[in-house]
């Protein structure tokens, strides 16, 4: 490209760079001033301690008993727990909160559930992520009529257990009537977190800790079903947030200072616990009841208790709204329109504003409010606590959209963006003119040089943005005027430095930067590979083997026994017709290391470590050593890569082999005539990859599309005989395997559906039951760790289309995912695991194309200071990329589309079902006359060397086989071939034949095995003897249980 | 053209024709809008004119036919190397693709209503299944989350969610055509290439700018209507009842979707009540819509039946609401085990809205409960054949299987249960247990 052309191209890029920077700054400004997200409030737990069950474990059950002598007027509790908690008050579930791998929190109004007498607050905290025990921290308080606030905190006086220790056929573990003195005391434990992962809540705790003094008010006509009310209040200039708490007898609209801000299209009511539904339906108040309401002193004891309201099943809810955006210093006006049904329009409202001294300003509904349109004074009917509803339950509001909410929201965003972009472009043009004048440069060159000055600010803002997704920081920590001022100062500072630099550093040719030495690069790669190996090898056997792994192990034993993979299920000898290669590597490893977990994890560890090196090599060959090293570095810390390296199933092996296929095929066809040696390697890689997992078959169409995209217009490769020879061999292998699979499919005797029923690609589009074209977009491209890479991928691939390597990777990747989405009628995160390497390579490749463009703007004529800016900015962007792709550094969990519940292994620490712990527990406890019933009997057999007596699946969601080879033909499970329990009647039948049953069942939704009737039966009749990650052991007494007692 | 370029050219033409014909076929035959329950709406049935409820038929002026014709024009242009024509055909295809979902959610209120009603009926049917039938314990995998259509943003989101394969085929075809047209396709001659590429940027500009323009034009009236609704609420809150009424009526005039929204008539009725006018049709709607009135659904229906107005749209809104209330009433009666009365209520609902899938679903089960097994099997089988939603279909086939079993027609029952399992093979305890059942002897 000529110098002029280069300069023009740079100027266009400079324009794009400044525009992007302006958009990022505009985003920060809008998030700070125009549309801030929900406020964040850190919870203060005071003296509350983190507590855990007596034996550190994955499940924790906690109980605290409160004895309350009088009726309760206020009660609240705030809870923090590891991963997941369910809060119960007096046996009623109040809340469930879940967010994987962080300490989740919540604050709740529990007054409706508290009664005079004995109360129990119970918390169940099952862990989903490892390591560490289930832990809980809680504090709360309550106040009684005329009494003081009494607080309670979690500490060593709480009761705790690893299992739900209720009484069989009687009180459950969370029941207030249960005598928990046989429970152990909870263990207070310090939390060793350098940076706390305890989350903030979105509602101010002060609203729960104090009562509103607001009055119920009505208009001049106490029977009117519709009414508008208006009130005014003053606010100081320096103040904190403002919250409106509001309850009404009907639907309502709220205007604050003329802005229409809240729309509740229906009456918001809470169904009270302990109350009985009546034929009359929801609670209402008629005009006949008004005289009772107007008595100021009806807040007597009896009127306050939900139990004492015979005909009320629900009461108005006091909802809290953040109205800080719409209030201002000085006088403010609130207008509320209430549209009740067949009740009078009544209103109770309270505006709470935090003051600078830590205090609180309150503005409440009372007789100073006016009824509109006549401006008559409102009538006070009684305070919160008045009959017939008593003290109102309190909750944060989910604000329904007001009409035109989108226009109100996006209008300011649009204007803000336009204003910032325009201002910044004008500043750029002006500054470039000055700079050009000072340095004697042409207009385009000055524009390019000035654009470089934006890069440090852009990098800084992007790093701040990334950190808002880190769970250790508040979501809005950087949307502050100070940060924006800092960003602007950085830009101004850069310009000052530029002008000063222009005076001292004349324009001159760029000095070449010496490339790093070969040995240094090799050492850098070696360090990354070794580091990745150590990360993967550490705690290699920490997690129990899974069902798929043990199935492969059973087949590996078949290899050792007979020379081919097979396993016995009931009276069948089942030939393995999928993942055929996996058992061979497992068998080889077990020959060396024996029948141990390590032996079965070792092949995956080796393949995963090799993949770290290979991805570096591929990056080096397709791009340059920087792309290779960064890709290798990202992959070394890649959470799914680490997790699958500790898993004996196929993904690590298949990923390694498919990466070989991608790379060698590129080498073979990227330029000139096809290279036969690479083609042969590519075909071999494909065949091995295909025999590791048949889904790799889609590599063929993907690679065909890729070669068309790379060599469009040049079809000489079609005349290459070796190409078709390789293709023929691959086709023969695929067709043979598919035929073998079809022939060995024992579907004729099987009932139900399983993955083995998928024998060939199908048009998933026609099957609406499973079709989900966006599945892999969510699971592959936009989980937290891939998010930024995918941003580069989607925004950059068209701009880098001329780069052959990027085009090849992108086309292969998109074609592959298109095939998986549309031709494979089952979706799973592991199915796109082979494409993860493509995402990394492609994302890093595009990033470096952009980075080099920034670093080299201005070309050889750039002055020294500009090169410094260029390289510093580029380095900062590289750091940003590394931070965004490394969850050991930045826990950017909030970036995922499904942040609370990430896809399998997408986040470090995910623990699958703990079959090992459950099996070993049962083996220790079982006695002669007992029987074991396991949903996955092969797991039990692997860990104990004993075959369970039965399998169970009353949900009928797993395939079952009809086994006619038994003495009495029957259905057997698909895993091990044990007799299968398929209903409650069958379970009871089995129960009657044994002294005791040990039932091992999964407990999470994604692994359901038991139908509700059986679950209910086990909950009532059984006792949970052991619980760990996603697995429970239920002990069920047999027929002679009563005589034994 | 020399020998070295002829073969690739032939191959490229073959690929282009195969692709274009594939896309054209897909544009005609596959769905552009994926209705939650029924098998609508294929490209050739998706007429440019107003949507009419009921069975859809191919139409020459349909989005599918127009798109297919454009695709054929495009591939002809490609064959003849009329790059500019190819590019402009692509531009038109992209405009058609932009217009289609906007018609469904911004322009054609009847179509949007059918979408909304089906989404709502899907939820109600799932709730009925969970509460009243031997359930499969699974959630409905194909079920849309609750459909919100209050704002322009919501409606644009819905437009995106409901587009289906035919639409995607047209978008891909349009992008390819513009891309090729803008780039000069297969042209190797420098001069022709330069000429073609000269107009390329402009072509992309027209494609994207035009699509954006269509979007703006389609959204402007709904957006203005939204703004008026906000003003109406604000005026009402301030006690300016006349201002509120004007704003409501203007919103309904601007946007057909607001015009068929019964909540707006109810809001007008609420204003009438505040002014003491209790004899207006709007007040009757308002009163009928009150939860306290709906405690007695028949009272609510009677109130609606008394609505008399010359406004045909208003009258049809009221009739549809009556049908919904009858169906709701049938559900309540089923819960109270008054199956005979439930049959009558469902039939009344169907009389007012013959296309109500929910009323038919309830009716099938109601017939079963009163012992009219033949009718139950017939209505369930007919309805199942007309539906696309696999879970709903599977439940209907299981219902039919139950009815055939009671009739002693075990072969037909088995076929019905097998069909049930065919359409829902993931969590279909009911169908599977009926086919296969847990055994008696287990040793």
């Amino acid at each position: 490209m000529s110098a002029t052309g280069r300069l023009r191209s740079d100027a266009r890029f400079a324009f794009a760079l400044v525009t992007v920077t302006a958009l990022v700054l505009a985003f920060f400004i809008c998030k700070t001033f125009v549309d801030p997200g929900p406020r964040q409030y850190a919870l203060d737990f005071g003296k509350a301690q983190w507590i855990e069950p007596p034996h550190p474990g994955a499940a924790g059950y906690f109980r605290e008993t409160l004895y309350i002598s009088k009726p309760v007027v206020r009660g609240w509790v705030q809870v923090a727990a590891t991963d997941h908690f369910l809060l119960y008050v007096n046996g009623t579930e109040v809340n469930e909160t879940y967010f994987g791998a962080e300490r989740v929190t919540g604050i709740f109004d529990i007054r409706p559930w508290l009664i005079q007498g004995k109360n129990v607050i119970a918390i169940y905290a099952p862990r989903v992520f490892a390591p560490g025990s289930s832990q809980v921290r809680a504090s709360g308080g309550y106040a009684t009529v005329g009494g003081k606030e009494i607080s309670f905190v979690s500490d060593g006086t709480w009761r705790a257990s690893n299992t739900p220790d209720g009484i069989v056929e009687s009180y459950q573990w969370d029941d207030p009537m249960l005598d928990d003195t046989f429970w152990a005391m909870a263990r207070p434990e310090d939390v060793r977190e350098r940076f706390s992962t305890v989350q903030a809540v979105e509602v101010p705790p002060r609203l729960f800790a104090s009562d509103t003094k607001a009055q119920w008010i009505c208009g001049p006509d106490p029977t009117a079903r519709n009414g508008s009310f208006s009130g005014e209040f003053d606010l100081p200039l320096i103040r904190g947030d403002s919250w409106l708490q509001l309850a009404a007898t009907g639907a309502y609209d709220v205007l604050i200072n003329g802005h229409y801000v809240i729309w509740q299209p229906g009456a918001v009511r809470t169904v009270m616990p302990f109350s009985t539904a009546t034929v009359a339906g929801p609670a209402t108040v008629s005009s006949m009841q008004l005289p009772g309401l107007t008595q100021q002193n009806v807040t007597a004891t009896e009127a306050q208790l939900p139990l004492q309201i015979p005909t009320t099943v629900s009461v108005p809810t006091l909802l809290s709204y953040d109205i800080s955006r719409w209030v201002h210093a000085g006088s403010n006006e609130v207008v509320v329109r209430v549209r009740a049904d067949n009740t009078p329009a009544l209103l109770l409202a309270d505006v709470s504003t935090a003051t600078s001294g830590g205090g609180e300003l309150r503005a409440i509904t009372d007789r100073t409010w006016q009824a509109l349109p006549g401006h008559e004074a409102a009538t006070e009917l009684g305070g919160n606590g008045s009959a017939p509803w008593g003290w109102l339950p309190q909750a944060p509001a989910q604000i329904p959209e007001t009409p035109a909410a989108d226009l109100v929201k996006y209008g300011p965003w649009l204007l803000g963006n336009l204003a910032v972009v325009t201002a910044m472009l004008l500043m750029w043009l002006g500054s470039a003119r000055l700079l050009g004048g000072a340095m004697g440069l042409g207009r385009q060159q000055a524009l390019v040089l000035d654009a470089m000055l934006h890069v440090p600010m852009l990098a800084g803002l992007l790093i701040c943005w990334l950190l808002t997704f880190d769970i250790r920081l508040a979501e809005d920590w950087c949307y502050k005027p100070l940060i924006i001022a800092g960003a602007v100062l950085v830009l101004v500072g850069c310009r000052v430095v530029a002008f000063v630099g222009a005076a001292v550093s004349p324009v001159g040719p760029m000095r070449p930067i010496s490339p790093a030495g070969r040995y240094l690069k090799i050492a850098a790669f070696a360090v990354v590979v070794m580091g990745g190996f150590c990360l993967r090898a550490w705690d290699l056997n920490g997690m129990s083997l899974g069902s798929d792994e043990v199935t492969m192990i059973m087949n590996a034993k078949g290899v050792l026994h007979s020379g081919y993979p097979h396993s016995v299920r009931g009276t069948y000898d089942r030939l393995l017709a999928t993942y055929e290669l996996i058992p061979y590597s497992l068998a080889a490893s077990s020959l060396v290391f024996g029948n141990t977990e390590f032996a079965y994890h070792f092949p995956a560890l080796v393949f995963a470590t090799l993949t770290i090196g290979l991805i570096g090599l591929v990056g080096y060959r397709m791009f340059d050593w920087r792309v290779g090293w960064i890709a290798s570095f990202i992959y070394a810390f890649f959470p799914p890569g680490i997790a699958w390296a500790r898993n004996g199933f196929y993904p690590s092996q298949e990923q390694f082999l498919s990466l070989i296929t991608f790379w060698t095929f590129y080498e073979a066809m990227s330029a000139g005539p096809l290279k036969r040696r690479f083609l042969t390697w590519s075909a071999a890689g494909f065949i091995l990859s295909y025999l590791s997992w048949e889904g790799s078959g889609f590599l063929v169409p993907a690679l065909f599309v890729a070669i068309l995209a790379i060599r469009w217009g040049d079809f000489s490769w079609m005349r290459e005989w070796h190409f078709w020879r390789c293709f023929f061999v691959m086709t023969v292998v695929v067709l043979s395997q598919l035929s073998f699979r079809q022939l060995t499919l024992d579907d004729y005797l099987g009932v139900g559906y399983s993955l083995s029923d998928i024998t060939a690609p199908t048009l998933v589009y026609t099957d609406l039951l499973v079709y989900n074209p966006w599945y892999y977009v969510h699971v592959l491209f936009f989980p937290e760790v891939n998010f930024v890479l995918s941003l580069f991928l989607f925004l950059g691939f068209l701009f880098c289309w001329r780069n052959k390597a990027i085009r090849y990777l992108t086309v292969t990747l998109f074609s592959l995912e298109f095939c998986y989405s549309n031709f494979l009628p089952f979706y799973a995160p592991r199915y796109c695991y082979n494409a993860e390497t493509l995402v990394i390579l492609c994302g890093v490749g595009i990033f470096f194309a952009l980075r080099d463009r920034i670093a080299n703007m201005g070309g050889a004529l750039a002055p020294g200071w500009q090169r410094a800016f260029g390289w510093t900015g580029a380095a900062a962007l590289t750091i940003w990329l590394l931070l965004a792709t490394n969850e050991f550094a930045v826990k950017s969990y909030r970036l995922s589309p499904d942040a609370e519940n990430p896809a399998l292994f997408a986040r470090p620490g995910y623990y699958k079902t703990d079959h090992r712990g459950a099996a070993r527990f049962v083996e220790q406890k079982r006695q002669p006359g007992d029987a074991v019933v396991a949903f996955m009997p092969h797991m039990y057999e692997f860990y104990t060397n004993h075959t369970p007596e039965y399998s169970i699946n009353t949900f009928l969601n797993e395939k079952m086989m009809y086994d006619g080879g038994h003495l009495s033909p029957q259905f057997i499970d698909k895993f091990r071939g044990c007799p299968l329990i398929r209903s409650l009647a069958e379970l009871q039948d089995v129960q009657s034949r044994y002294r005791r049953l040990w039932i091992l069942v999964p407990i999470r939704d994604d692994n359901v095995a038991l139908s509700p009737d059986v679950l209910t039966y086990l909950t009532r009749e059984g006792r949970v003897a052991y619980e760990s990650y996603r697995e429970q052991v239920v002990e069920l007494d047999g027929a002679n249980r009563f005589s034994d007692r | 053209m020399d020998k070295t370029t002829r073969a690739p050219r032939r191959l490229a033409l073959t690929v282009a024709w195969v692709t274009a014909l594939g896309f054209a076929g897909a544009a005609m035959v596959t769905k552009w809008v994926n209705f939650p329950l029924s098998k609508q709406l294929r490209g050739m049935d998706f007429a440019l004119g107003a949507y009419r409820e009921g069975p859809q038929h191919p139409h020459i002026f349909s989005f599918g036919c127009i798109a297919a014709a454009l695709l054929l024009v495009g591939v002809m242009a490609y064959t003849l190397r009329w790059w500019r024509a190819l590019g402009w055909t692509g531009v038109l295809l992209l405009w058609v693709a932009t217009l289609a979902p906007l018609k469904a959610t911004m322009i054609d209120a009847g179509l949007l209503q059918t979408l909304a009603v089906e989404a709502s009926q899907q939820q109600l049917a799932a709730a009925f299944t969970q509460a009243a039938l031997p359930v499969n314990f699974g959630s409905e995998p194909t079920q849309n989350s609750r459909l919100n259509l209050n704002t322009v943003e919501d409606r644009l989101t819905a437009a995106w969610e409901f587009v289906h394969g035919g639409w995607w085929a047209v978008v891909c075809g349009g992008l390819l055509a513009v891309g090729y047209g803008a780039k000069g396709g297969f042209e190797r001659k420098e001069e022709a290439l330069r000429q073609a590429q000269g107009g390329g940027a402009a072509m992309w500009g027209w494609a994207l700018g035009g699509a954006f323009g269509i979007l703006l034009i389609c959204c402007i009236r709904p957006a203005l209507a939204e703004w008026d609704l906000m003003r109406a609420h604000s005026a009402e809150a301030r006690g300016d009842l006349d201002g509120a009424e004007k704003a409501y009526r203007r919103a309904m005039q601007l946007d057909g979707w607001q015009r068929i929204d019964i909540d707006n008539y109810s809001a007008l009725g609420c204003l009438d009540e505040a002014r003491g006018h209790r004899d207006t049709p709007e007040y009757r709607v308002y009163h009928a819509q009150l939860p306290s009135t709906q405690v007695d659904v028949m009272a609510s229906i009677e109130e609606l039946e008394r609505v008399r107005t010359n406004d045909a749209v208003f009258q049809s809104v009221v009739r549809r609401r009556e049908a919904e209330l009858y169906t709701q009433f049938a559900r309540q009666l089923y819960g109270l085990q008054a199956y005979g009365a439930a049959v009558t209520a469902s039939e009344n609902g169907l009389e007012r809205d013959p296309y109500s899938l929910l009323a038919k679903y309830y009716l099938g089960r109601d017939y079963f409960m009163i012992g009219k097994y033949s009718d139950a099997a017939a209505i369930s089988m007919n309805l199942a054949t007309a539906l696309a939603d696999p879970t709903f279909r599977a439940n209907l086939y299981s219902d039919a299987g139950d009815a055939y079993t009671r009739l002693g027609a075990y072969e037909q029952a088995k076929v019905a249960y097998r069909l049930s399992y065919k359409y829902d093979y993931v969590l279909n305890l009911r169908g599977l247990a009926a086919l296969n059942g847990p055994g008696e002897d287990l040793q």
Side-chain angles (χ1 to χ4, degrees), chain A residues 459-514:
Chain A
L461 288 178
L462 287 177
I463 290 174
C464 288
W465 168 80
L466 176 68
L467 293 178
T468 59
F469 298 97
D470 190 317
I471 54 161
R472 294 164 296 185
L473 296 167
E475 287 175 46
D476 59 353
W477 74 269
C478 67
Y479 302 127
K480 301 277 187 288
L482 199 64
I483 298 281
I484 292 167
V488 174
L489 273 179
V490 168
L491 182 61
V492 172
C494 289
R495 289 216 160 102
V496 171
V497 172
F499 278 101
V500 174
V504 297
S505 172
V507 175
M510 185 163 60
R511 274 179 301 174
I513 293 172
S514 61

Side-chain angles (χ1 to χ4, degrees), chain A residues 639-660:
Chain A
I642 295 170
W644 283 116
R646 298 170 181 164
N647 189 295
F649 201 32
Y650 78 86
S652 289
Q653 179 172 325
E654 194 269 336
Q655 186 186 52
F656 174 76
L657 294 167
S658 56
L659 182 57
I660 288 183

Side-chain angles (χ1 to χ4, degrees), chain A residues 43 45 50 80 102-105 137 193 196-200 471:
Chain A
L43 292 176
F45 284 91
W50 283 100
E102 70 170 29
R103 290 178 185 256
V104 288
T105 52
R137 193 181 191 193
E193 280 188 332
S196 172
T197 59
V198 177
Q199 298 302 292
I471 54 161

